[in-house]
Amino acid sequence: MKPISFSREETKAIVGEIQDYFREELDQSIGAMPAEMLMQFFADKMGAYFYNRGLHDAQALVRKKIDDVSDEIFALERVTKHHR
């Protein structure tokens, strides 16, 4: 699997979120470099868990949509002499 990577803009946004969290929840400050290292740590160690959860959620949605389409197709069937 290809490693999870973010654009520079995404990285800046995530680093900002980490810094906000440290300031608001932990009453501490964290520099941009340590925050980016923390982000990369979480991406490396836990990213696959979040990625897989997203895949499972997407699969469930696709299955539901396919079931809906199958039901709609079935509803188009017309009664015939041999099939009621």
Side-chain angles (χ1 to χ4, degrees):
M1 179 174 107
K2 184 170 106 171
I4 296 172
S5 62
F6 299 100
S7 70
R8 194 69 211 140
E9 293 81 26
E10 290 170 323
T11 298
K12 284 175 69 172
I14 295 167
V15 165
E17 294 286 344
I18 292 170
Q19 289 175 310
D20 290 347
Y21 177 81
F22 268 71
R23 185 176 46 261
E24 294 167 10
E25 300 296 325
L26 303 175
D27 199 25
Q28 295 186 12
S29 64
I30 183 172
M33 181 75 71
E36 189 170 341
M37 291 171 67
L38 185 60
M39 177 203 76
Q40 193 58 53
F41 169 79
F42 280 110
D44 293 344
K45 300 297 181 188
M46 289 171 248
Y49 292 100
F50 288 96
Y51 180 83
N52 290 344
R53 173 57 54 202
L55 289 180
H56 291 289
D57 291 348
Q59 288 171 336
L61 177 65
V62 168
R63 270 194 300 274
K64 183 186 179 320
K65 295 295 182 184
I66 288 172
D67 287 344
D68 291 347
V69 169
S70 293
D71 291 345
E72 289 179 31
I73 291 171
F74 183 72
L76 295 174
E77 274 193 15
R78 298 193 178 168
V79 177
T80 62
K81 194 173 191 181
H82 299 296
H83 183 231
R84 293 179 194 243

